[in-house]
Amino acid sequence: MPPGGETVVGKGFRFVSQLLASLSLLIASPLAADEFRSPSLTALRADWRAALDQLRSEINAHPRAADDFIFAPRRSVPRYDPRAMPALVQLNAISSQFFTGIARSSVPVLLPFDAAAYFEARRNGAPATLALSRYQADFNSVDMFDAGPAGYSATFSFEPGAGDGMPGRVFARPVEVQITGSALVYDIADPSGGKGEPVKPLAALYPDLRKFIREGYVRYAFTRFGVAYVVSIQCLDSVAKPRRLACKEAYPVAERFVKALRVAGGQRMRPLTDVASNILDRPAVRSPDFSYRPSGDIIPNTGYRKQGGHPDVMAYAQIRFPLEKAPAFIHSQSYAKRDKMESTTAYPWRDNFCESRSFEVWQCSGGYGHQGEDIRAAECPPPGEGRQACDPKQRAVVAVRDARVIRASKDQAVTLQINSRTEHIRFRYMHMNPQALNADGLLNGRIVSEGEKIGMVSNYLDHPAGTSMHLHFDVQVFTRDGWIWVSPYVTLVSAYERLIRARGREVGPEIAGTPQPVAHALPEDVLKPDFREGSGGEEN
């Protein structure tokens, strides 16, 4: 008998017995109704040798530049040491002047930037002030760039009248073009995923390139070097309007962008690994107050063409709740009056992700919905002895994670992007005042920390007092079709549970007839600060 006292046969028998017992337990005990799951992600492995081959061909087209690039591999250094690919180190040094942190990308960065032509021009004596658009197919300097372990994202603009031979009317304002390359793709049950039509003029460059319109964007998706890339432009799938681009008008701009893509940088890193679904760790202690209706249980007849919601038990990320203090409430701000029993400042919470809107959302019946959830802070309590002043306009909104900000100065929304070895996800906040956001420096590229105050719950929609006092919050994940809206409801439920340090109770429609008043039994340090004075189109 071997050391340890168990034969190989005995170990094998024990393993099979344990496996059968586990399977029988799973069959006999299905997941509870209120059990949440986290998403599954597939990790793609970048083929850096293929990227180097493409870079070599691009640089060889500019002989003066080719003389200065080193492509011979340095076999004396570790495989993932940057010195193993000296040409990439040189390329990153050039590109980082315009795309900060480009070497942090774990995938080859494709941009409409001809680095070799730019380098050659500088070697020939061209001034550093030479217009960058000359080397970017007439696209302006990058508006937003973010690179990290999952990949990169960038946004460029194309001015009205720019570019030789561009068909169609002169655009009313610059056309914004986005690109993301990612080594992580979310595995969502998406019946529309992977569809599209080929783009014949670009088939020789990108054999698997497909064009399609999804959720308000025309998208060009393709695989290169084993990695998923998507180029997208927001547009209307209809006739053009004075201030909105028709998708047919966006096609030539997108195809100009794709045709101009060159290897601009990035750095070989250790491959990412698949992130498997698992049951979230939620508080064990039950809350005496917090309750919520199931995901997908929207107010009756408020979905697109009176259809219902879409159940989704996925908590897409472990986040900090976006309002600073509890109590807070998720309820419709558009349709609550249709349900006499519905209260916007009481438990149970109610999902409103699939309420009727003109926004495209793949998860919702008919393909249209709200895209996110409406969140309200608690009402100020009546004045009383010992209570400090409560200002309903001073309810702080905080960052849900350490993240990079995506926001131009005119945007009514703040988007936070997570780019890590295990996530590639975006969180969007709406209805805060743009002027206040600008004053606080909430602009492209800023890094915020989890829990950091980034604004106040407000009522801005094109102008102050354009909607009710609430925060619209939504989530996008990166897929092979690009950034796709997913329901944030369960993500917010689990975040709120962590905020109040207690597990909520799911209640079904048949027993949730009367809203539950908020009995202030939350932890004292969570509840009380909410009652103190804080520091200073179409409804979404």
Side-chain angles (χ1 to χ4, degrees):
M1 184 176 291
E6 188 174 12
T7 65
V8 173
V9 174
K11 289 181 179 179
F13 179 78
R14 180 165 55 87
F15 171 77
V16 172
S17 299
Q18 291 173 342
L19 179 61
L20 290 174
S22 299
L23 289 173
S24 63
L25 182 63
L26 287 173
I27 294 171
S29 304
L31 289 175
D34 66 345
E35 205 64 79
F36 302 158
R37 288 195 174 276
S38 56
S40 175
L41 290 81
T42 296
L44 307 175
R45 187 163 185 167
D47 184 348
W48 280 99
R49 289 297 172 188
L52 276 178
D53 289 343
Q54 179 169 323
L55 176 61
R56 182 185 287 107
S57 66
E58 292 170 359
I59 291 177
N60 285 340
H62 302 275
R64 185 71 186 274
D67 292 340
D68 292 307
F69 276 80
I70 304 171
F71 283 94
R74 298 186 180 183
R75 302 186 183 281
S76 60
V77 297
R79 183 179 179 186
Y80 296 106
D81 189 312
R83 294 173 297 167
M85 293 185 172
L88 277 174
V89 176
Q90 294 171 284
L91 179 64
N92 286 328
I94 296 169
S95 298
S96 62
Q97 301 172 70
F98 315 108
F99 312 104
T100 304
I102 193 169
R104 291 195 294 263
S105 173
S106 67
V107 305
V109 177
L110 292 176
L111 297 174
F113 174 55
D114 193 337
Y118 171 81
F119 182 70
E120 184 176 62
R122 291 303 310 277
R123 288 297 306 269
N124 289 334
T129 56
L130 194 65
L132 191 60
S133 61
R134 179 173 179 175
Y135 305 99
Q136 293 187 166
D138 297 315
F139 288 91
N140 290 335
S141 298
V142 69
D143 296 316
M144 184 281 295
F145 183 79
D146 172 58
Y152 76 99
S153 291
T155 301
F156 294 81
S157 59
F158 192 77
E159 293 291 338
D164 295 333
M166 289 296 293
R169 67 182 169 103
V170 175
F171 312 123
R173 55 185 176 180
V175 179
E176 186 179 272
V177 186
Q178 303 175 24
I179 182 170
T180 295
S182 185
L184 286 178
V185 291
Y186 282 71
D187 304 321
I188 57 177
D190 181 3
S192 300
K195 298 180 180 179
E197 60 184 67
V199 184
K200 293 181 179 179
L202 298 174
L205 291 173
Y206 301 97
D208 69 341
L209 181 68
R210 53 193 173 88
K211 177 180 69 177
F212 53 97
I213 298 171
R214 287 205 66 180
E215 299 189 346
Y217 289 81
V218 60
R219 305 173 186 230
Y220 287 67
F222 59 94
T223 302
R224 195 72 158 187
F225 319 123
V227 175
Y229 296 87
V230 180
V231 172
S232 59
I233 299 176
Q234 189 173 24
C235 60
L236 290 173
D237 189 15
S238 62
V239 296
K241 294 187 177 181
R243 297 183 61 83
R244 286 292 300 275
L245 197 69
C247 290
K248 288 185 177 180
E249 294 178 306
Y251 296 161
V253 180
E255 289 171 21
R256 182 186 188 90
F257 189 93
V258 173
K259 189 175 181 179
L261 291 176
R262 303 287 186 274
V263 178
Q267 188 59 61
R268 184 186 218 172
M269 301 178 189
R270 296 189 181 279
L272 306 180
T273 56
D274 291 353
V275 181
S277 292
N278 57 80
I279 297 175
L280 297 176
D281 182 17
R282 300 166 66 193
V285 177
R286 288 281 182 176
S287 167
D289 309 304
F290 175 45
S291 61
Y292 57 93
R293 294 172 184 258
S295 170
D297 179 24
I298 63 175
I299 296 174
N301 300 320
T302 61
Y304 177 69
R305 293 182 177 175
K306 298 185 178 182
Q307 298 186 60
H310 176 82
D312 184 353
V313 297
M314 203 71 70
Y316 287 92
Q318 292 268 18
I319 62 171
R320 200 259 189 229
F321 193 70
L323 268 59
E324 183 181 34
K325 303 297 179 184
F329 307 95
I330 292 180
H331 285 283
S332 169
Q333 69 86 35
S334 296
Y335 295 101
K337 293 182 180 179
R338 291 193 180 187
D339 188 341
K340 294 181 180 180
M341 304 306 298
E342 189 79 11
S343 171
T344 57
T345 54
Y347 301 130
W349 284 6
R350 190 163 204 166
D351 188 2
N352 50 88
F353 176 69
C354 282
E355 283 184 347
S356 182
R357 301 288 196 281
S358 63
F359 308 119
E360 294 182 37
V361 186
W362 75 271
Q363 282 187 321
C364 300
S365 300
Y368 291 90
H370 183 197
Q371 295 181 334
E373 301 290 348
D374 293 333
I375 309 174
R376 292 178 182 268
E379 294 178 348
C380 287
E385 185 177 351
R387 285 181 178 157
Q388 296 185 354
C390 172
D391 185 347
K393 296 181 180 180
Q394 295 293 313
R395 305 303 180 85
V397 173
V398 299
V400 295
R401 293 280 292 279
D402 297 348
R404 186 176 298 275
V405 172
I406 300 176
R407 179 180 175 270
S409 60
K410 295 182 180 180
D411 289 351
Q412 298 185 40
V414 176
T415 298
L416 304 186
Q417 178 162 287
I418 313 299
N419 182 342
S420 72
R421 290 186 61 85
T422 57
E423 293 176 297
H424 211 177
I425 189 168
R426 290 176 172 176
F427 306 98
R428 186 176 65 164
Y429 302 67
M430 296 186 69
H431 303 315
M432 296 184 289
N433 191 302
Q435 286 73 37
L437 297 173
N438 292 342
D440 290 339
L442 266 294
L443 297 167
N444 280 328
R446 176 170 162 181
I447 301 296
V448 294
S449 300
E450 182 176 319
E452 178 182 343
K453 193 188 84 172
I454 60 173
M456 296 289 177
V457 176
S458 189
N459 57 3
Y460 195 94
L461 181 66
D462 295 328
H463 56 82
T467 183
S468 63
M469 293 287 292
H470 74 283
L471 175 72
H472 171 96
F473 182 85
D474 54 46
V475 177
Q476 287 179 292
V477 296
F478 188 77
T479 73
R480 291 184 183 273
D481 279 8
W483 294 98
I484 297 294
W485 307 106
V486 291
S487 173
Y489 185 68
V490 165
T491 303
L492 288 167
V493 170
S494 62
Y496 193 70
E497 290 178 334
R498 287 188 291 276
L499 177 65
I500 65 175
R501 299 193 291 277
R503 186 165 177 160
R505 177 170 56 91
E506 182 179 298
V507 294
E510 70 284 354
I511 59 174
T514 304
Q516 303 165 29
V518 181
H520 293 156
L522 301 176
E524 186 174 350
D525 62 328
V526 173
L527 179 67
K528 283 187 175 180
D530 187 56
F531 298 139
R532 299 174 186 170
E533 185 174 358
S535 56
E538 178 184 11
E539 171 58 47
N540 200 330

